[in-house]
Amino acid sequence: RSSDLVNDCHAEVIARRGFIRFLYSELMKYDANEQDSSIFEALEEGKLKIKDSITFHLYISTAPCGDGALFDKSCSDPPVTEGDTTHHPLFENPKQGKLRTKVENGEGTIPVESSDIVPTWDGIQHGERLRTMSCSDKILRWNVLGLQGAILTHFMEPVYLHSVTLGYLYNQGHLTRAICCRMSKNGDAFQQELPPPFILNHPEVGRVSVYDSTRHTGKTKESSVNWCLPDETTVEILDGTKGKVDGQNLEVSRVSKHNIFLLFQELCKKSGREDLLDFATYSDVKDAAEEYKMAKEHFVRALVEMGYGSWISKPQEEKSFTVPSE
């Protein structure tokens, strides 16, 4: 099943999947009578939001692939003692800001062509390249739609990154353009048309002061390790070329769409949300998250209107799966 595979094992993507699993564990623990011990607080309309006092931070060892990494190493900025909250995005040539996809089983990224390619699972099985958006583009999306994804917005408001810190290859102008500011190239027009509670988030950015760059040589390793707080001491290692747990059995990863959807169903049962359990497929649950869907449509449309290209979605088969209810 395509929903069993983790197609993109880049560290940023796996970290965000782990974060989503963390959110599920916190939502499962939530008790309206004991809000003091939760990261959530209740809103009047029934959803939860992360308390203002709790913030989330992304550390990446080097510039995220795609638009944020398209600069000469000699242009790296020195470390700063404080995170930068004032962004100064660089727009030096028309190529900057363009959406890019990762090269499957390779290194680097290529611009999305202007033609609207609709990927299909059978096409991929017959040798077409599976195209996944670059990490710069995915972080940009998280800074508009939140880290939680579509289906969790049935339970909670979007949650955004407070900061992004790099270890190596940090250039404030290129990073901020790539992960947020390219959406405000034309002023506030994009943000003003975003349906609330979604925002265009501009996280603090910076780089660490001590970093050993000597290990950045050779091809990226194919193993991908994930861990999140509820896992306690169990670490999972994926074979990035196969999208499954490393080993002879090729087990389905805990960060796969399939297993995350199982967590969603558990949460629905605990919360008495029978209405959400009635949907036939994962795709139907996503479509029912109307505010998220509107925000995503606005985002995708704006990317095209700003000349950045068309967002390439995963094959529909990957979203049309069902998980049998017990």
Side-chain angles (χ1 to χ4, degrees), residues 129-287:
R129 278 185 305 114
L130 174 66
R131 302 182 59 184
T132 56
M133 300 304 292
S134 72
C135 287
S136 288
D137 297 334
K138 288 185 175 181
I139 298 168
L140 173 72
R141 177 178 165 143
W142 305 337
N143 276 324
V144 174
L145 301 177
L147 291 160
Q148 74 298 317
I151 62 176
L152 268 180
T153 58
H154 288 294
F155 290 95
M156 63 179 284
E157 293 228 321
V159 52
Y160 294 97
L161 285 168
H162 187 78
S163 73
V164 176
T165 305
L166 301 191
Y168 180 63
L169 287 185
Y170 169 70
N171 179 290
Q172 209 260 34
H174 292 289
L175 181 68
T176 54
R177 177 194 64 244
I179 66 169
C180 47
C181 295
R182 51 180 150 159
M183 300 314 290
S184 47
K185 190 179 179 182
N186 305 335
D188 290 337
F190 171 75
Q191 166 123 12
Q192 284 171 354
E193 289 179 33
L194 256 182
F198 296 93
I199 60 166
L200 174 55
N201 179 54
H202 294 278
E204 279 186 43
V205 292
R207 62 163 282 197
V208 295
S209 53
V210 179
Y211 187 77
D212 175 14
S213 63
T214 52
R215 62 189 193 85
H216 275 269
T217 54
K219 201 170 181 301
T220 311
K221 300 289 182 287
E222 287 162 352
S223 294
S224 164
V225 179
N226 73 75
W227 173 88
C228 78
L229 198 60
D231 299 324
E232 294 180 348
T233 57
T234 56
V235 170
E236 184 181 81
I237 302 172
L238 300 185
D239 179 337
T241 62
K242 297 189 173 75
K244 289 201 172 180
V245 177
D246 202 11
Q248 289 180 322
N249 298 335
L250 288 178
E251 292 165 10
V252 177
S253 169
R254 60 194 180 190
V255 298
S256 66
K257 271 199 174 81
H258 181 269
N259 280 340
I260 286 175
F261 193 45
L262 284 175
L263 296 177
F264 177 77
Q265 292 190 323
E266 277 179 44
L267 180 60
C268 290
K269 286 170 192 163
K270 176 193 174 273
S271 311
R273 290 295 303 269
E274 297 297 323
D275 56 318
L276 295 173
L277 289 168
D278 288 341
F279 288 109
T281 67
Y282 172 82
S283 177
D284 293 339
V285 178
K286 280 186 81 167
D287 283 347

Side-chain angles (χ1 to χ4, degrees), residues 22 104 114 245 281 316 318 322:
F22 164 75
E104 194 183 10
S114 51
V245 177
T281 67
Q316 186 57 31
E318 204 172 295
T322 57

Side-chain angles (χ1 to χ4, degrees), residues 102-114:
K102 296 168 187 177
V103 178
E104 194 183 10
N105 296 330
E107 301 287 302
T109 58
I110 52 173
V112 297
E113 291 91 22
S114 51

